[in-house]
Amino acid sequence: MSLPAGEGRAEAAIRALREENDLLRARVSELQHALRPYNRQALEWGLGPSHTGMFATLAARSAASYEALALAGVGPTDGIRSPETVKTQIARLRKRIAPYGYRIEPVWGFGYRLVPPKAATETTDVCVAALRCAGTALRRAAQ
């Protein structure tokens, strides 16, 4: 039995879409694997799925657009959030990651960027300087 020409083209189109879908699924899997270290850290901090996705997106890029953060925060099947909703989620995420030394800064007209904590050596230098000052103050007080 032969198929009408229209049905043959439809079968070919379906086959091409399935192949493209398979390639896209493989690419998504690769990207998820690349974000895994950031996801693990966010989950250890108790961030929910929305904030975990946004944190991983920020951590993996020098700057993330509103659109990328919207997709990371809700996933492709939930619809895209408005920039105002992204701003609200970023404000909440800022509060959640601040205790770990991270900051989120706006990138005007584009989105946001993640600023990691200062290097451990800088923190150590500050602590040593503070202890020296405290020791000097204690010695002066004892005199």
Side-chain angles (χ1 to χ4, degrees), residues 87-109:
K87 289 177 187 177
T88 301
Q89 290 299 317
I90 289 293
R92 291 178 181 160
L93 181 57
R94 278 183 174 130
K95 291 177 185 175
R96 301 284 306 274
I97 65 174
Y100 304 100
Y102 285 89
R103 292 181 300 125
I104 298 174
E105 294 180 343
V107 177
W108 190 83

Side-chain angles (χ1 to χ4, degrees), residues 7-141:
E7 288 183 29
R9 278 186 246 138
E11 293 285 330
I14 290 171
R15 189 172 29 261
L17 287 172
R18 285 187 177 144
E19 289 173 6
E20 182 182 14
N21 191 22
D22 291 341
L23 288 173
L24 291 172
R25 285 181 187 274
R27 182 66 181 138
V28 166
S29 179
E30 290 171 7
L31 293 171
Q32 287 174 335
H33 181 71
L35 293 176
R36 191 167 291 141
Y38 306 114
N39 287 342
R40 186 175 302 122
Q41 185 176 24
L43 290 171
E44 287 174 4
W45 295 342
L47 300 182
S50 179
H51 287 149
T52 297
M54 294 176 107
F55 177 79
T57 299
L58 286 164
R61 304 169 183 207
S62 59
S65 68
Y66 290 111
E67 293 82 12
L69 291 167
L71 287 172
V74 296
T77 59
D78 297 332
I80 296 177
R81 294 180 174 179
S82 69
E84 291 76 26
T85 306
V86 170
K87 289 177 187 177
T88 301
Q89 290 299 317
I90 289 293
R92 291 178 181 160
L93 181 57
R94 278 183 174 130
K95 291 177 185 175
R96 301 284 306 274
I97 65 174
Y100 304 100
Y102 285 89
R103 292 181 300 125
I104 298 174
E105 294 180 343
V107 177
W108 190 83
F110 181 72
Y112 296 94
R113 73 182 190 102
L114 184 69
V115 180
K118 293 183 179 176
T121 56
E122 292 176 13
T123 305
T124 303
D125 292 343
V126 169
C127 291
V128 168
L131 288 172
R132 285 183 184 151
C133 289
T136 303
L138 287 172
R139 281 192 297 275
R140 286 183 185 160

